[in-house]
Amino acid sequence: MKKLINSVDNVEQEMIVGMVKAYPNHVRKLDCGNVVVRAHKKEGKVALISGGGSGHEPAHGGYVGEGMLDCAVAGAVFTSPTPDQIYEGIKAIATDKGVLMVVKNYTGDVMNFEMAAEMAEADGVSVKYVVTNDDVAVKDSLYTTGRRGVAGTVFVHKIAGAKAETGADLDEVHRVAQKVVDNVRTMGMALTPCTVPAAGKPGFELGEDEMEIGIGIHGEPGTHREKIRSADEIVTMLLDKIVADIDYSGKEVAVMINGSGATPLMELFIANNKVHDYLTEKGIKIYKTFVGNYMTSIEMAGFSISLLRLDEELKELLDAKADTPAFKQ
Amino acid sequence: MTDSSKVIEILKQIGEQIQMEKDFLTELDNVIGDGDHGINMARGFKEVEKKLADLSGKDIGSILKTVGMSLVSTVGGASGPLYGTAFMRAGVAVGAKTEIDGSDFIAALEAAIGGIEMRGKAHEGEKTMLDALIPALNAIKKSYAENNDFKAALAQGVEAAEKGVEYTKTIIATKGRASYLGERSLGHQDPGATSACLMLKVIDRML
């Protein structure tokens, strides 16, 4: 394992402190745990909190700031943060308008955030939450814990964050967040594995000529493995699965081409080139495109495609101002 | 059967065993999850070990509750809330006692399992730690009711837990990250059931 670290025990904390030193006008770290909040607390709005394991940078700390999150809580690499850390975050940002938690659908994240919500509610804070579950790679059924929440979560941060900024109440912000959850779908793939620092070796192995389709953002196995194909073929494979899941025909969409950490922008743009051709052929209108590293998996090579179905309300909120370390417009 | 200082010793041993098996548990989790079960549990029990020093002389309920709180606040992931809730519930079940017997242990284990079911919204047969713990509880209860010999009952429980771990290889995961694998989770034993079985084995060895 070759990594630019000092010791595996300090990876998360040094990362957060380094980030805060880079963006002191946007974020500050709480004394307890790896929790970042907006540098200047804004009253009179619903406060948004999200988080999850570290290793997905710039998620989640990178989305703390005007128009997006008020707080991000970082757990150990690929491990959900603990309830006491989340609770500290909620206490730091809570306003009389309440708190919305944006949680990715992983058993650990849901349980830890729920426990934190129980603690905050005992203090009289109103807390609601949405669970993002955009990954079409995995089945959704009564018998499973449902789909994973992946890169589409960033759209929830952006749009629910914009809604909160208008001073809307908790029910309204929750409704809009859920609307994004209901309309966003994602599928990803990997070319090379990633190494969790504390594990010291790759979480999985892929042959030189292999790729993993439907991979999760923690390097957890995907739906299947096969011989690598061209960028265009891979894009088609992922999009076929996405557009088969909900009806995008005749709709306007926001597109996110998300790098997993080790994929150059060159390759992401190559992918995007095909994404646009594919969608245009299908009669799906592209309203806005985002290409970059939004929800990474340490140094995994690979990418995901997210499509968000838009209506007038979502378009307006998507276009609203955002000023965070990793997302500005 | 056992007192506060023995409980502390057992918890220390569980911690040591977890550190020893850290890579094995992580390895199991690599195949069907995200490869951090051993790392997370080791981090949690390192914290537990620090706390144990201050717990001598305390009642068993308080000891177990402190262990639960430490696990919740350090492990993270799904194992933190699950094992944390389990130890806290066990602590509540035992209460202010400084000595416990077989029926107290059974009540504590039953409460722990109830906590895991509640927190994880999980049942037996879903390829989780419950698949080791529930058969163990049933075997212990049955044997203890028949012979009133807790040591023998616990041995039966460990055997049932080991079988439970084997059983997790034959079922598809419907809870946790392994559930995203569907049928690909077949053939692999559950890391959570493995760590639960490991804890029972330590208790058995130490009593």
Side-chain angles (χ1 to χ4, degrees):
Chain A
M1 174 181 72
K2 267 164 126 177
K3 276 187 194 289
L4 183 64
I5 61 172
N6 296 304
S7 95
V8 292
D9 291 336
N10 295 332
V11 167
E12 297 86 1
Q13 193 180 337
E14 289 176 14
M15 180 263 295
I16 294 282
V17 173
M19 196 193 114
V20 169
K21 284 177 179 166
Y23 305 102
N25 295 330
H26 289 93
V27 291
R28 68 182 176 87
K29 182 181 174 303
L30 296 187
D31 292 335
C32 55
N34 295 321
V35 185
V36 295
V37 296
R38 273 201 209 192
H40 311 287
K41 180 174 175 177
K42 189 169 174 187
E43 295 288 348
K45 69 180 272 292
V46 170
L48 260 73
I49 181 169
S50 189
S54 294
H56 303 304
E57 293 64 39
H60 297 81
Y63 302 124
V64 173
E66 188 186 346
M68 291 182 82
L69 302 175
D70 296 274
C71 175
V73 191
V77 172
F78 290 176
T79 299
S80 149
T82 57
D84 50 320
Q85 288 180 289
I86 302 165
Y87 172 58
E88 290 301 328
I90 292 175
K91 278 200 293 192
I93 59 167
T95 68
D96 53 5
K97 290 213 138 184
V99 173
L100 182 78
M101 309 192 300
V102 181
V103 187
K104 295 193 296 310
N105 193 25
Y106 289 96
T107 315
D109 290 73
V110 175
M111 279 192 280
N112 285 291
F113 274 88
E114 267 178 5
M115 286 178 87
E118 284 166 21
M119 292 155 86
E121 278 163 347
D123 291 346
V125 180
S126 340
V127 183
K128 287 191 114 172
Y129 67 97
V130 289
V131 177
T132 65
N133 56 357
D134 48 314
D135 191 350
V136 298
V138 290
K139 273 188 223 142
D140 192 17
S141 82
L142 288 174
Y143 307 104
T144 70
T145 37
R147 306 172 194 260
R148 299 180 287 222
V150 287
T153 308
V154 179
F155 282 131
V156 183
H157 296 162
K158 172 67 194 77
I159 288 171
K163 186 72 186 178
E165 215 71 49
T166 67
D169 67 19
L170 183 56
D171 285 341
E172 271 292 286
V173 178
H174 177 266
R175 177 188 63 77
V176 164
Q178 188 57 48
K179 190 171 174 184
V180 180
V181 171
D182 293 341
N183 284 284
V184 66
R185 296 292 185 272
T186 301
M187 175 104 173
M189 61 82 66
L191 296 166
T192 65
C194 54
T195 299
V196 173
K201 55 180 178 180
F204 62 100
E205 278 169 26
L206 276 175
E208 194 46 41
D209 58 345
E210 283 181 325
M211 60 177 180
E212 178 108 6
I213 298 295
I215 191 110
I217 54 170
H218 308 93
E220 70 268 39
T223 49
H224 67 283
R225 198 167 276 199
E226 61 177 82
K227 293 269 181 251
I228 190 163
R229 300 202 219 163
S230 71
D232 283 0
E233 285 173 297
I234 294 169
V235 164
T236 302
M237 198 187 305
L238 301 186
L239 280 174
D240 281 347
K241 195 85 195 266
I242 293 172
V243 301
D245 196 74
I246 52 174
D247 188 11
Y248 287 95
S249 50
K251 300 280 180 190
E252 282 186 277
V253 294
V255 176
M256 180 178 285
I257 311 294
N258 170 54
S260 309
T263 296
L265 272 174
M266 181 178 80
E267 293 172 30
L268 297 180
F269 284 127
I270 289 171
N272 187 51
N273 183 35
K274 177 65 185 176
V275 170
H276 273 232
D277 290 349
Y278 177 107
L279 294 177
T280 307
E281 273 167 37
K282 291 251 182 221
I284 300 168
K285 194 166 165 238
I286 297 140
Y287 181 70
K288 213 162 196 168
T289 304
F290 302 87
V291 179
N293 288 331
Y294 290 94
M295 178 82 70
T296 59
S297 307
I298 322 183
E299 79 283 33
M300 188 164 90
F303 77 115
S304 65
I305 304 171
S306 302
L307 295 189
L308 169 63
R309 238 173 13 183
L310 295 167
D311 61 9
E312 290 309 314
E313 181 183 36
L314 295 186
K315 270 159 57 175
E316 197 184 320
L317 293 167
L318 182 63
D319 288 341
K321 184 184 175 195
D323 183 13
T324 73
F327 197 108
K328 287 187 189 13
Q329 66 177 24
Chain B
M1 179 189 86
T2 191
D3 59 16
S4 299
S5 56
K6 185 82 185 173
V7 169
I8 290 176
E9 254 180 71
I10 291 175
L11 288 163
K12 251 186 212 158
Q13 269 305 311
I14 288 178
E16 274 178 32
Q17 198 67 33
I18 295 271
Q19 307 293 344
M20 272 170 59
E21 302 281 341
K22 181 173 108 173
D23 291 339
F24 174 59
L25 293 172
T26 295
E27 206 53 38
L28 290 176
D29 196 26
N30 255 338
V31 188
I32 57 172
D34 58 342
D36 60 8
H37 187 56
I39 297 167
N40 293 342
M41 292 295 282
R43 185 174 53 237
F45 273 93
K46 213 157 123 189
E47 185 62 28
V48 167
E49 204 195 323
K50 283 189 215 154
K51 294 268 168 68
L52 288 177
D54 304 329
L55 290 173
S56 62
K58 291 269 165 64
D59 62 79
I60 297 174
S62 305
I63 294 169
L64 294 176
K65 277 186 261 178
T66 307
V67 170
M69 283 302 290
S70 311
L71 293 178
V72 167
S73 62
T74 50
V75 176
S79 311
L82 292 172
Y83 274 122
T85 305
F87 276 97
M88 283 194 261
R89 290 286 180 99
V92 173
V94 169
K97 289 180 183 156
T98 49
E99 269 187 58
I100 54 169
D101 61 15
S103 0
D104 294 324
F105 179 91
I106 289 170
L109 183 56
E110 203 152 31
I113 289 171
I116 294 170
E117 288 173 324
M118 179 276 301
R119 183 61 63 199
K121 301 175 184 78
H123 309 284
E124 204 177 348
E126 293 176 323
K127 203 168 176 120
T128 70
M129 50 185 83
L130 291 175
D131 293 314
L133 291 173
I134 293 175
L137 172 69
N138 292 339
I140 295 169
K141 262 178 155 173
K142 183 165 180 280
S143 169
Y144 191 61
E146 282 164 8
N147 307 311
N148 203 33
D149 176 351
F150 185 69
K151 184 80 186 112
L154 189 55
Q156 297 278 314
V158 167
E159 205 175 296
E162 283 174 330
K163 275 193 198 147
V165 171
E166 283 302 305
Y167 167 66
T168 62
K169 291 182 184 171
T170 68
I171 50 176
I172 293 173
T174 55
K175 281 280 181 296
R177 286 188 191 172
S179 70
Y180 302 127
L181 280 186
E183 288 185 0
R184 286 171 88 192
S185 68
L186 277 174
H188 303 290
Q189 77 190 58
D190 180 65
T194 309
S195 57
C197 180
L198 178 154
M199 290 183 200
L200 289 173
K201 275 181 173 163
V202 173
I203 300 170
D204 180 45
R205 197 176 69 222
M206 299 279 296
L207 280 182

